Amino acid sequence: MKKVLVVLFFMVISFQYAYGEIFESIYKALPYAQKENKLIAFFIVSSRCPHCIKLLNDMKNNQNLIDLLNNNYVTVIADISSGAKVPIDLPFKGNTPTMMVVTLEPKHRMY
């Protein structure tokens, strides 16, 4: 388990190098997204989930995706196994990995 947490930690660090700013909390990302006038790409993962680790690894190695996220979104990677919170008004059912695009205005969210 400890090895998986270390691997996930280093993957998130490598994302920060590749993407620039990666937020671990949607609440911290929201003011930045409003300032930049960008949507939020919200990835919900768990360090206990092999599919999450594969997803993050595949994303890290896809330059087209990195460019797309950098140019159009504020990226949040929330590890729920480390205590990250998901807003209650998002349609998260507890399954990981989950990816959502979150708008800045709750009334405009589409599920």
Side-chain angles (χ1 to χ4, degrees):
M1 179 64 178
K2 188 175 183 180
K3 183 178 179 181
V4 172
L5 288 172
V6 170
V7 169
L8 188 60
F9 172 77
F10 283 110
M11 290 178 79
V12 171
I13 294 298
S14 65
F15 269 107
Q16 289 177 335
Y17 177 76
Y19 288 111
E21 184 91 37
I22 298 285
F23 292 89
E24 294 177 5
S25 166
I26 196 166
Y27 301 107
K28 292 179 182 175
L30 188 59
Y32 185 77
Q34 289 171 329
K35 178 182 159 198
E36 296 292 316
N37 197 30
K38 292 183 177 181
L39 299 173
I40 297 174
F42 187 34
F43 295 89
I44 306 166
V45 298
S46 171
S47 60
R48 299 179 190 130
C49 167
H51 301 292
C52 299
I53 294 169
K54 181 173 179 3
L55 171 71
L56 293 174
N57 192 41
D58 290 348
M59 288 172 52
K60 178 183 73 168
N61 294 316
N62 185 331
Q63 189 60 47
N64 290 332
L65 180 58
I66 291 170
D67 293 341
L68 176 78
L69 290 172
N70 277 337
N71 294 330
N72 299 298
Y73 300 93
V74 172
T75 305
V76 177
I77 300 175
D79 181 1
I80 61 170
S81 63
S82 295
K85 302 293 182 200
V86 177
I88 198 164
D89 63 329
L90 294 180
F92 179 62
K93 304 290 186 203
N95 299 321
T96 58
T98 298
M99 191 276 177
M100 300 179 193
V101 175
V102 181
T103 66
L104 302 179
E105 297 296 326
K107 65 182 177 182
H108 295 127
R109 286 192 185 137
M110 296 181 70
Y111 301 117

